Amino acid sequence: DQFFNMRAICESGSGLLVRADRASAQIIRLAASRLLKEAESQAAAQRLSAVFQRYSARQTFRRIVGNILGAAT
């Protein structure tokens, strides 16, 4: 699931994919520098942050479990 999560972040423009088998200090440094310098990446990260702030994993989990348990009775 980490790959799928990272794919969504990359598609939003707020992240870059660095594969573990290709990661090095230099590659990670370059990727981080690029994201921090690009206004588009910063704006995308702010938009994604706003989405995460509105999302409650606790409430979503309770709702899903409640739906499953309610359906099982």
Side-chain angles (χ1 to χ4, degrees):
D1 68 334
Q2 291 177 359
F3 178 77
F4 292 119
N5 291 332
M6 194 60 222
R7 182 176 176 193
I9 290 171
C10 290
E11 287 177 0
S12 77
S14 58
L16 296 171
L17 178 64
V18 177
R19 294 177 49 104
D21 62 340
R22 297 184 185 144
S24 68
Q26 180 181 7
I27 289 174
I28 293 170
R29 190 178 309 111
L30 290 171
S33 293
R34 177 177 162 191
L35 291 170
L36 292 170
K37 289 178 184 177
E38 292 180 354
E40 294 170 8
S41 297
Q42 292 175 16
Q46 289 175 346
R47 287 190 301 272
L48 191 57
S49 174
V51 170
F52 285 134
Q53 288 176 17
R54 292 190 306 266
Y55 179 80
S56 170
R58 178 180 289 176
Q59 289 176 347
T60 301
F61 179 76
R62 286 182 177 168
R63 180 177 42 79
I64 291 169
V65 170
N67 289 341
I68 292 169
L69 295 176
T73 60

